[in-house]
Amino acid sequence: QVQLVESGGGLVQPGGSLRLSCAASGSIFSTYAMGWYRQAPGKERELVAGITSGGSTNYVDSVKGRFTISRDNAKNTVSLQMNSLKPEDTAVYYCTAGTSYGSTYVFDFWGQGTQVTVSS
């Protein structure tokens, strides 16, 4: 079992930056693949970024070059640095933990979500 708690969401103007963090507890963090999903109103949930236990990363095309996922196994945390934010990035962002098979992820554990709103 893994418990996940997100923080760092909020309101930011277009072009601004936010850093989301996720603290994990309850199991061997370093063995899990981690990811960030988001869900906007009326839209399906999508995987924004994933990072394997070995540190390989994957991003959805719409955030490549703007978002960076990273993990700190010593602190049991995973972060999502979001730069050059756009209104279309507005969503609830969820931290997830699971397993990776190459660039495919299967996530079993979810945080409660944190709201990110990009608006002027």
Side-chain angles (χ1 to χ4, degrees), residues 65-113:
R66 299 189 297 123
F67 289 12
T68 302
I69 187 171
S70 61
R71 66 189 299 158
D72 186 335
N73 290 336
K75 297 182 178 179
N76 285 8
T77 59
V78 61
S79 299
L80 185 68
Q81 178 66 42
M82 305 184 294
N83 299 327
S84 302
L85 283 161
K86 304 176 181 180
E88 51 263 43
D89 295 317
T90 296
V92 178
Y93 284 70
Y94 298 90
C95 177
T96 63
T99 306
S100 63
Y101 304 93
S103 59
T104 300
Y105 296 87
V106 177
F107 291 111
D108 304 303
F109 306 102
W110 297 79
Q112 81 286 354

Side-chain angles (χ1 to χ4, degrees), residues 4 12 15 40 86 88 98 120:
L4 304 170
V12 63
K86 304 176 181 180
E88 51 263 43
S120 55

